[in-house]
């Protein structure tokens, strides 16, 4: 047998979230796991007990308690998880509201911003009120044609907080790539940008946004984030129907009450898409509760994520790893958002950033 190249130290094992979870099961359920293989076997053989334990260990908070963990059906796809239970996905990602950094944004030109957990909560509340006043309701779709910046996370959380459904494409998608996706879901609001930077180039996206907005007949509002014009002169958005700049949209004269909308465990949270290599992209719907519990399990048990950690994954908003990354907020970790080419500075930028 080949010799192992690396084994974790005893100290590292004892400090792991996985071992803490095993000890939690031993204490709470009277089990006696001696190794990971036993824990894994139990999780497969006792799914009801396992997923109930994960929900409790990861502190999933239900507005209304579920009747049970799952109701089996003849067809697995018809199984209902945590029936009767209600929760809000965004509420879990916003459970921390202190002054620690929540999001750190890097742009390839060296631009850096960060906001705290308290500031993130305030910005989400502000946008959620604006979306509600713009007519967005439970089950409505909000589409993001956005780079990987702070406002994108704020927009997703605000959407989820009111029970609406979020879907995103990155700005490197062309006109037809965007319409092939958003054209299927009939979004009520489009959150978009004036432009972005990639590999030393500045790309103006306003002409493309104008075409996208003109061909999405379901749109009632277009909100433009001044990514290129944060501190400079803004472009002209007058030719984009129903468009407002981000700050003007959230500056509503009549403030409203912010609250998290409880939804069913399987309520739609995200619409993602297949690659489109075999015809039109196919919509893939991810539920609020399933996404939350799976990401918490991965982050806390397998990644070992905690409030003391910083999490980074190189991704755009057109890839499901962006959705995976932002869930790190639910574990209290600081997230690093990078937008741009990974190869600038002779490929050293990401390592220098880390």
């Amino acid at each position: 047998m080949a010799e192992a190249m690396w084994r974790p130290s005893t100290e590292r094992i004892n400090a792991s979230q996985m071992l803490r979870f095993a000890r939690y099961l031993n204490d709470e359920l009277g089990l006696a796991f001696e190794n990971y293989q036993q824990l894994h076997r139990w999780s497969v053989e006792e799914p009801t007990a396992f997923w109930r334990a994960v929900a409790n260990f990861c502190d999933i908070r239900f507005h209304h308690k579920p009747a049970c963990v799952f109701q089996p059906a003849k067809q697995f796809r018809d199984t209902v998880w945590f029936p009767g239970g209600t929760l809000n996905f965004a509420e879990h990602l916003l459970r921390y509201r202190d002054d620690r950094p929540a999001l750190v944004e890097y742009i390839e030109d060296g631009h850096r911003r960060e906001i705290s957990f308290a500031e993130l909560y305030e910005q989400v509340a502000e946008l959620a009120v604006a979306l509600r006043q713009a007519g967005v309701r439970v089950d409505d779709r909000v589409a993001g044609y956005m780079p990987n910046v702070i406002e994108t996370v704020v927009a997703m959380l605000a959407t989820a907080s009111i029970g609406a459904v979020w879907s995103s494409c990155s700005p490197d998608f062309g006109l037809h790539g965007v319409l092939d996706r958003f054209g299927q879901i009939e979004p009520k609001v489009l959150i978009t940008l004036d432009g972005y930077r990639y590999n030393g180039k500045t790309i103006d996206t306003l002409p493309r946004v104008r075409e996208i907005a003109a061909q999405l007949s379901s749109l009632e509002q277009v909100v433009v984030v001044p990514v290129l014009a944060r501190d400079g002169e803004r472009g002209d958005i007058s030719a984009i129907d129903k468009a407002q700049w981000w700050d003007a949209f959230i500056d509503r004269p009549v403030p409203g009450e912010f609250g998290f909308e409880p939804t069913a465990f399987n309520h739609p949270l995200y619409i993602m898409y297949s690659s489109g290599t075999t015809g039109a992209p196919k919509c893939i719907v991810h539920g609020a509760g399933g996404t939350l519990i799976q990401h918490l399990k991965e982050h806390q048990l397998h990644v070992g994520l905690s409030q003391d950690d910083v999490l980074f994954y190189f991704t755009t908003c057109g890839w499901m790893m962006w959705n995976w990354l932002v869930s790190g907020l639910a574990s209290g970790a600081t997230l690093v958002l990078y937008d741009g080419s990974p190869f600038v500075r002779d490929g050293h930028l990401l390592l220098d950033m880390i």
Side-chain angles (χ1 to χ4, degrees):
M1 181 179 290
E3 188 175 339
M5 296 179 64
W6 177 85
R7 293 185 189 278
S9 65
T10 301
E11 292 75 19
R12 184 162 184 163
I13 293 172
N14 289 336
S16 70
Q17 293 270 53
M18 187 69 77
L19 185 59
R20 191 164 73 87
F21 179 59
R23 288 170 174 167
Y24 166 83
L25 295 173
N26 290 345
D27 293 340
E28 292 293 317
L29 302 180
L31 302 173
F33 298 120
E34 297 179 359
N35 53 52
Y36 175 78
Q37 288 71 24
Q38 292 178 358
L39 171 60
H40 179 262
R41 187 181 308 114
W42 174 81
S43 74
V44 175
E45 294 174 350
E46 302 291 342
T48 298
F50 172 74
W51 287 108
R52 182 187 293 115
V54 170
N56 291 334
F57 181 80
C58 295
D59 193 22
I60 290 182
R61 302 171 186 179
F62 290 95
H63 286 245
H64 189 275
K65 296 293 184 182
C68 58
V69 173
F70 71 94
Q71 290 177 340
K74 289 183 178 180
Q75 296 291 331
F76 180 75
R77 65 185 180 187
D78 297 324
T79 295
V80 180
W81 290 88
F82 294 93
T86 62
L87 50 72
N88 185 275
F89 178 83
E91 186 174 12
H92 287 80
L93 274 65
L94 294 168
R95 71 171 96 199
Y96 300 97
R97 299 170 195 174
D98 50 42
D99 292 330
R100 292 179 301 115
L103 303 175
V104 180
E105 170 193 297
Y106 280 91
I107 306 296
E108 72 165 43
D109 63 358
H111 174 86
R112 182 187 188 280
R113 289 192 300 163
E114 74 173 53
I115 63 172
S116 68
F117 279 93
E119 290 168 328
L120 177 60
Y121 174 81
E122 291 170 1
Q123 291 188 25
V124 170
E126 195 172 36
L127 181 59
V129 169
L131 288 172
R132 277 196 172 114
Q133 292 180 353
V136 179
R137 299 291 181 263
V138 174
D139 288 332
D140 285 338
R141 276 75 62 207
V142 176
Y145 183 52
M146 287 289 289
N148 189 16
V149 293
I150 287 172
E151 287 86 355
T152 313
V153 180
V154 171
M156 180 279 289
L157 290 171
T159 299
S161 74
I162 60 180
V165 186
W166 174 259
S167 187
S168 62
C169 293
S170 58
D172 57 300
F173 281 42
L175 173 65
H176 296 296
V178 176
L179 293 176
D180 283 348
R181 290 162 173 80
F182 292 165
Q184 300 184 62
I185 68 170
E186 299 181 339
K188 183 174 281 189
V189 174
L190 175 66
I191 311 286
T192 188
L193 75 166
D194 59 347
Y196 64 100
R197 293 178 175 87
Y198 191 87
N199 201 25
K201 298 178 182 178
T202 299
I203 295 94
D204 177 8
T205 56
L206 288 179
R208 198 183 313 160
V209 170
R210 183 175 66 248
E211 293 184 73
I212 292 169
Q215 296 191 51
L216 291 175
S217 59
S218 60
L219 287 180
E220 297 180 9
Q221 182 74 57
V222 178
V223 182
V224 184
V225 179
V227 174
L228 289 181
R230 292 200 190 280
D231 303 311
E233 185 176 350
R234 295 185 178 183
D236 183 9
I237 63 171
S238 61
I240 304 172
D241 190 31
K242 304 169 184 171
Q244 279 186 291
W245 288 105
W246 172 276
D247 48 1
F249 178 69
I250 62 177
D251 186 21
R252 297 278 161 158
V254 182
E257 291 296 324
F258 173 64
F260 294 102
E261 182 73 30
T263 66
F265 190 85
N266 202 39
H267 181 80
L269 169 72
Y270 294 134
I271 299 175
M272 289 180 267
Y273 307 91
S274 64
S275 64
T277 53
T278 56
K282 315 299 189 297
C283 292
I284 305 168
V285 180
H286 288 243
T291 300
L292 178 66
I293 197 169
Q294 177 66 15
H295 284 178
L296 280 169
K297 176 177 73 73
E298 289 184 21
H299 284 160
Q300 294 190 13
L301 301 187
H302 298 285
V303 178
L305 203 62
S306 74
Q307 295 182 57
D308 300 323
D309 293 316
V310 179
L311 178 63
F312 169 69
Y313 201 101
F314 177 73
T315 180
T316 71
C317 300
W319 189 26
M320 57 87 188
M321 287 308 300
W322 181 86
N323 309 77
W324 182 91
L325 171 66
V326 295
S327 288
L329 293 169
S331 297
T334 297
L335 307 186
V336 176
L337 312 174
Y338 174 73
D339 197 73
S341 169
F343 302 115
V344 294
R345 296 186 202 165
D346 297 324
H348 293 162
L349 186 145
L350 294 186
L351 292 176
D352 292 342
M353 181 187 74
I354 290 167

